[in-house]
């Protein structure tokens, strides 16, 4: 049985108990939400991984994207990136490799980390042919089965890109058309072959494979906006509607899923996107790339994504995909992955500080940091910091003999006030 089948029967499994313990909530709540499809625990039966819950009542999770390109193939680099992402707080990892021996790359990455692993099987299907449009339906589903058999915990399929959404795109006024790589593969294939997307028209077959391995389905946002101008348009919402229908079918098949979303969205439209997707997809866990709140910050899109991710998380997003400083520019380096992971981790925690169900737990951590700062307890501050290594390096590279930081030294406000209060207490 799949985890969802257990949940629908009211069976609380060890996986549910572990997630409940980690999140500080009741296991029966986890069970109930998995049965309804509002929490997903990605964990393929072929592989043991760190168990995380994504969805209602749970802390905001983050995903890191890594993988080779056809221009740059270095498996050791990608393995190192995977380890870096895990070290600095990623909750899940996606292998987006398109160059080299994809089977070997995927296995090396999966062996290197304990995190749940996601993939995009259409990349491998495309690699099996000279041109993307030469893929067959069998190529696509064989790639899904291959990834499932190898132990991939969740797969992104762009099943919402169908003939209907293509018509909306053609009639619209987008600047960037389709920026999703998997979405573009699907679009080109449909146009060239004059057929609907096999992942949409044969969706039940996809669910059979996912059910066999208890592999979660990540319903990809192939029509996501690639620039601020294109946000919240008809193609986007047409795909939301289709994904909502697929969520229902996925739950009926007892397969866990989550839904992917935009993209580039101005900050005043993020709430509309999040709440619209949540409503149309019956509160399925929501997974967003960013969203990036401006188009004009190449080199800093880990920051534009974190700004959008914080607000999106506060509005109900459950899973944030990091962006790195290299977004839109180049294949990220190991340093880029580190920076992107940390900044997205900050965004997720900032969202949890304002999020129903997480506010108290998140604020308790900040309260500990506040007490440590008041007491000039540097070791506790480093232990609580999202990037304690960097905090320690900055502190120790500009040391002061005062016990405070070198910004104020003996003129430290907290030190002065604490001393004044102590003297007053001694007088009394």
């Amino acid at each position: 049985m799949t985890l969802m089948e257990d949940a629908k029967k009211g069976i609380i499994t060890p996986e549910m108990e572990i997630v409940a313990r980690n999140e500080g909530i009741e296991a029966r709540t986890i069970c109930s939400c998995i049965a309804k499809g509002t929490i997903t625990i990605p964990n393929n039966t072929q592989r043991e991984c760190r168990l995380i819950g994504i969805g209602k009542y749970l802390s905001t999770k983050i995903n890191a994207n890594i993988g080779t390109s056809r221009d740059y193939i270095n498996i050791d680099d990608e393995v190192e990136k995977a380890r870096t992402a895990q070290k600095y707080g990623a909750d899940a990892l996606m292998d987006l490799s398109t160059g080299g021996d994809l089977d070997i790359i995927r296995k090396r990455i999966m062996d290197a980390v304990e995190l749940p692993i996601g993939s995009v099987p259409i990349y491998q299907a495309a690699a099996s042919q000279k041109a993307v449009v030469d893929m067959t339906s069998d190529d696509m589903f064989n790639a899904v089965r291959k990834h499932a058999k190898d132990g991939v915990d969740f797969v992104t399929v762009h099943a919402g890109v169908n003939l209907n959404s293509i018509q909306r795109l053609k009639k619209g006024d987008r600047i960037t058309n389709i920026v999703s790589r998997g979405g573009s593969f699907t679009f080109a294939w449909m146009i060239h072959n004059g057929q609907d997307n096999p992942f949409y028209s044969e969706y039940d077959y996809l669910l059979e494979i996912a059910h066999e391995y208890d592999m979660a389905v990540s319903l990809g946002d192939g029509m996501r906006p690639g620039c601020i101008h294109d946000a919240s348009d008809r193609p986007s919402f047409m795909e939301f509607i289709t994904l909502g229908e697929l969520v229902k079918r996925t739950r009926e098949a007892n397969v866990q899923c989550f839904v992917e979303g935009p993209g580039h969205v101005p900050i005043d439209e993020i709430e509309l996107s999040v709440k619209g997707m949540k409503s149309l997809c019956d509160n399925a866990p929501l997974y967003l790339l960013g969203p990036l709140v401006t188009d004009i910050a190449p080199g800093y899109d880990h920051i534009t994504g974190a700004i959008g991710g914080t607000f999106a998380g506060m509005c109900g997003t459950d899973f944030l995909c990091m962006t790195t400083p290299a977004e839109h520019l180049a294949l990220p380096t190991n340093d880029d992955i580190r920076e992107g992971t940390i900044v997205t981790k900050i965004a997720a925690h900032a969202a949890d500080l304002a999020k129903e169900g997480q506010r108290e737990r998140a604020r308790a951590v900040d309260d500990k940091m506040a007490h440590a700062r008041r007491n000039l307890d540097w070791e506790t501050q480093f232990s609580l910091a999202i990037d304690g290594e960097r905090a320690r390096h900055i502190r120790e590279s500009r040391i002061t003999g005062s016990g405070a930081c070198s910004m104020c030294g003996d003129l430290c406000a907290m030190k002065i006030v604490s001393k004044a209060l102590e003297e007053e207490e001694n007088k009394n």
Side-chain angles (χ1 to χ4, degrees):
M1 289 193 297
T2 65
L3 198 63
M4 181 170 274
E5 284 173 313
D6 284 333
K8 287 180 178 179
K9 293 180 179 180
I11 300 172
I12 297 176
T13 67
E15 294 91 344
M16 299 176 200
E17 290 177 341
I18 290 170
V19 169
R21 185 166 59 250
N22 291 342
E23 297 282 348
I25 65 175
E26 295 291 332
R28 62 175 173 270
T29 301
I30 299 289
C31 182
S32 174
C33 288
I34 291 175
K36 295 173 184 175
T38 57
I39 285 179
T40 293
I41 301 176
N43 182 210
N44 189 314
T45 56
Q46 300 296 107
R47 175 175 181 262
E48 291 186 9
C49 69
R50 185 182 300 173
L51 296 170
I52 63 162
I54 303 165
K56 192 173 183 179
Y57 304 125
L58 307 182
S59 58
T60 306
K61 304 303 187 299
I62 72 167
N63 174 75
N65 287 341
I66 62 167
T68 62
S69 72
R70 293 188 178 184
D71 290 340
Y72 191 79
I73 304 167
N74 187 314
I75 301 177
D76 290 339
D77 278 2
E78 300 311 315
V79 168
E80 186 62 25
K81 292 176 192 177
R83 290 175 174 148
T84 294
Q86 177 171 283
K87 177 180 177 180
Y88 288 100
D91 299 293
L93 193 71
M94 287 200 77
D95 172 22
L96 305 185
S97 294
T98 57
D101 189 323
L102 302 187
D103 290 336
I104 291 176
I105 294 166
R106 187 168 57 255
K107 185 177 188 310
R108 287 278 308 275
I109 289 171
M110 293 174 75
D111 287 346
V113 296
E114 302 170 350
L115 303 178
I117 299 291
S119 68
V120 188
I122 199 171
Y123 294 172
Q124 186 146 23
S128 69
Q129 302 290 346
K130 289 184 178 179
V132 168
V133 296
D134 293 333
M135 290 184 293
T136 65
S137 174
D138 283 345
D139 290 333
M140 297 181 197
F141 286 104
N142 287 341
V144 173
R145 184 172 290 282
K146 171 65 176 171
H147 287 215
K149 189 175 181 180
D150 287 350
V152 169
D153 299 293
F154 60 97
V155 287
T156 291
V157 290
H158 299 88
V161 180
N162 59 15
L163 293 175
N164 195 357
S165 59
I166 285 179
Q167 291 306 311
R168 301 287 76 72
L169 180 69
K170 288 179 177 178
K171 293 177 181 179
D173 63 348
R174 281 193 167 189
I175 294 175
T176 56
N177 290 318
I178 293 177
V179 298
S180 159
R181 186 161 55 195
S184 72
F185 287 9
T186 306
F187 177 89
W189 188 92
M190 286 191 290
I191 294 293
H192 180 81
N193 292 283
Q195 298 178 39
D196 211 339
N197 177 4
F199 285 145
Y200 177 74
S201 60
E202 301 176 59
Y203 190 65
D204 288 340
Y205 181 36
L206 175 77
L207 293 177
E208 286 180 21
I209 299 171
H211 184 278
E212 183 178 351
Y213 295 92
D214 203 0
M215 179 177 66
V217 174
S218 181
L219 290 163
D221 53 341
M223 307 298 289
R224 70 175 181 265
C227 65
I228 294 300
H229 174 274
D230 298 346
S232 308
D233 64 356
R234 289 186 184 90
S236 296
F237 276 89
M238 189 67 248
E239 185 174 38
F240 294 169
I241 292 169
T242 302
L243 295 183
E245 295 167 352
L246 295 176
V247 165
K248 182 179 180 181
R249 290 170 61 182
T250 307
R251 291 171 175 173
E252 289 172 350
N254 294 311
V255 172
Q256 297 183 94
C257 70
F258 41 89
V259 176
E260 299 181 16
H264 292 238
V265 184
I267 200 163
D268 62 322
E269 295 179 22
I270 289 175
E271 185 174 12
L272 169 68
S273 289
V274 171
K275 292 189 175 179
M277 292 191 76
K278 280 285 188 177
S279 177
L280 290 168
C281 297
D282 196 18
N283 291 309
L286 181 57
Y287 173 31
L288 296 191
L289 175 62
L292 280 65
V293 294
T294 179
D295 299 333
I296 63 168
Y300 297 90
D301 277 329
H302 57 314
I303 296 174
T304 65
I307 293 169
T310 299
F311 191 66
M314 186 180 73
C315 293
T317 297
D318 307 288
F319 195 23
L320 299 177
C321 187
M322 73 162 194
T323 50
T324 75
E327 188 77 15
H328 301 112
L329 300 172
L331 190 74
T333 64
N334 191 53
D335 285 342
D336 292 331
I337 294 296
R338 175 182 177 274
E339 192 83 1
T341 302
I342 291 167
V343 168
T344 311
K345 194 74 175 177
I346 294 169
H349 180 73
D352 287 344
L353 288 170
K355 199 172 189 177
E356 183 181 358
Q358 284 299 313
R359 188 179 292 112
E360 289 186 8
R361 293 189 76 206
R363 292 193 179 194
V365 179
D366 283 60
D367 287 348
K368 290 178 182 177
M369 178 64 89
H371 284 288
R373 282 184 173 151
R374 182 192 65 188
N375 298 329
L376 301 180
D377 180 351
W378 296 102
E379 289 303 318
T380 299
Q381 290 182 57
F382 299 149
S383 70
L384 293 170
I386 286 177
D387 185 0
E389 288 180 2
R390 185 173 186 181
R392 183 185 294 277
H393 171 74
I394 293 173
R395 158 74 180 165
E396 294 181 352
S397 65
R398 303 162 219 176
I399 200 69
T400 173
S402 69
C405 80
S406 57
M407 178 72 177
C408 296
D410 286 332
L411 299 179
C412 171
M414 286 185 286
K415 188 173 181 179
I416 289 170
V417 172
S418 293
K419 184 177 180 181
L421 290 172
E422 184 181 347
E423 288 176 353
E424 182 183 45
E425 186 176 339
N426 291 335
K427 289 178 182 177
N428 296 332

